[in-house]
Short mmCIF file of all heavy atoms in Angstrom, two decimals:
data_model
loop_
_atom_site.label_atom_id
_atom_site.label_comp_id
_atom_site.label_asym_id
_atom_site.label_seq_id
_atom_site.Cartn_x
_atom_site.Cartn_y
_atom_site.Cartn_z
N LEU A 624 -149.46 -92.45 5.67
CA LEU A 624 -149.65 -92.82 4.30
C LEU A 624 -151.08 -93.24 4.00
O LEU A 624 -151.88 -93.64 4.85
CB LEU A 624 -148.74 -94.10 3.95
CG LEU A 624 -147.23 -93.86 3.98
CD1 LEU A 624 -146.55 -95.16 3.67
CD2 LEU A 624 -146.82 -92.78 2.91
N VAL A 626 -153.50 -94.62 0.23
CA VAL A 626 -153.56 -94.94 -1.22
C VAL A 626 -154.57 -94.07 -1.84
O VAL A 626 -155.78 -94.06 -1.42
CB VAL A 626 -153.85 -96.44 -1.46
CG1 VAL A 626 -153.94 -96.67 -2.90
CG2 VAL A 626 -152.71 -97.26 -0.85
N ARG A 629 -158.44 -94.95 -2.51
CA ARG A 629 -158.87 -96.09 -1.58
C ARG A 629 -159.10 -95.54 -0.16
O ARG A 629 -160.12 -95.89 0.46
CB ARG A 629 -157.78 -97.12 -1.51
CG ARG A 629 -158.22 -98.38 -0.72
CD ARG A 629 -157.01 -99.29 -0.40
NE ARG A 629 -156.17 -98.65 0.61
CZ ARG A 629 -155.01 -99.15 1.00
NH1 ARG A 629 -154.57 -100.34 0.49
NH2 ARG A 629 -154.31 -98.59 1.97
N ASP A 630 -158.21 -94.76 0.40
CA ASP A 630 -158.20 -94.32 1.74
C ASP A 630 -158.74 -92.87 1.90
O ASP A 630 -158.47 -91.99 1.06
CB ASP A 630 -156.82 -94.32 2.41
CG ASP A 630 -156.23 -95.72 2.33
OD1 ASP A 630 -156.94 -96.74 2.50
OD2 ASP A 630 -155.04 -95.91 2.13
N PRO A 636 -148.98 -95.89 9.29
CA PRO A 636 -148.98 -97.16 8.62
C PRO A 636 -148.58 -98.32 9.51
O PRO A 636 -148.67 -99.48 9.16
CB PRO A 636 -148.07 -97.08 7.45
CG PRO A 636 -147.10 -95.96 7.91
CD PRO A 636 -147.82 -95.03 8.82
N ASP A 655 -148.76 -108.83 8.81
CA ASP A 655 -148.35 -108.61 7.43
C ASP A 655 -147.44 -109.67 6.90
O ASP A 655 -147.40 -109.90 5.67
CB ASP A 655 -147.69 -107.18 7.26
CG ASP A 655 -146.60 -106.97 8.30
OD1 ASP A 655 -146.90 -106.84 9.47
OD2 ASP A 655 -145.36 -106.91 7.86
N ASN A 719 -148.52 -104.99 12.74
CA ASN A 719 -149.12 -104.98 11.39
C ASN A 719 -148.60 -103.75 10.72
O ASN A 719 -148.63 -102.61 11.18
CB ASN A 719 -150.65 -104.89 11.48
CG ASN A 719 -151.26 -104.97 10.14
OD1 ASN A 719 -150.81 -105.66 9.27
ND2 ASN A 719 -152.34 -104.22 9.84
N VAL A 720 -147.99 -103.95 9.51
CA VAL A 720 -147.58 -102.83 8.67
C VAL A 720 -148.52 -102.79 7.42
O VAL A 720 -148.68 -103.80 6.75
CB VAL A 720 -146.10 -103.00 8.19
CG1 VAL A 720 -145.68 -101.99 7.20
CG2 VAL A 720 -145.14 -103.02 9.42
N ASN A 721 -149.15 -101.68 7.26
CA ASN A 721 -150.21 -101.60 6.26
C ASN A 721 -149.74 -101.47 4.84
O ASN A 721 -149.47 -100.28 4.43
CB ASN A 721 -151.26 -100.48 6.61
CG ASN A 721 -151.99 -100.80 7.90
OD1 ASN A 721 -152.37 -101.98 8.17
ND2 ASN A 721 -152.18 -99.85 8.73
N ASN A 722 -149.59 -102.50 4.10
CA ASN A 722 -149.34 -102.43 2.64
C ASN A 722 -148.25 -101.62 2.20
O ASN A 722 -148.28 -100.86 1.18
CB ASN A 722 -150.65 -101.95 1.88
CG ASN A 722 -151.80 -102.86 2.19
OD1 ASN A 722 -151.74 -104.04 2.11
ND2 ASN A 722 -153.03 -102.24 2.62
N ILE A 723 -147.08 -101.75 2.91
CA ILE A 723 -145.84 -101.11 2.41
C ILE A 723 -144.92 -102.16 1.92
O ILE A 723 -144.58 -103.10 2.66
CB ILE A 723 -145.15 -100.32 3.59
CG1 ILE A 723 -146.08 -99.22 4.06
CG2 ILE A 723 -143.87 -99.69 3.06
CD1 ILE A 723 -145.49 -98.39 5.19
N PRO A 724 -144.47 -102.09 0.67
CA PRO A 724 -143.63 -103.21 0.15
C PRO A 724 -142.26 -103.15 0.77
O PRO A 724 -141.81 -102.18 1.23
CB PRO A 724 -143.54 -102.84 -1.34
CG PRO A 724 -143.83 -101.41 -1.44
CD PRO A 724 -144.77 -101.07 -0.38
#
Side-chain angles (χ1 to χ4, degrees):
L624 294 177
V626 175
R629 186 196 70 182
D630 300 324
D655 52 291
N719 185 38
V720 177
N721 293 322
N722 299 312
I723 299 179

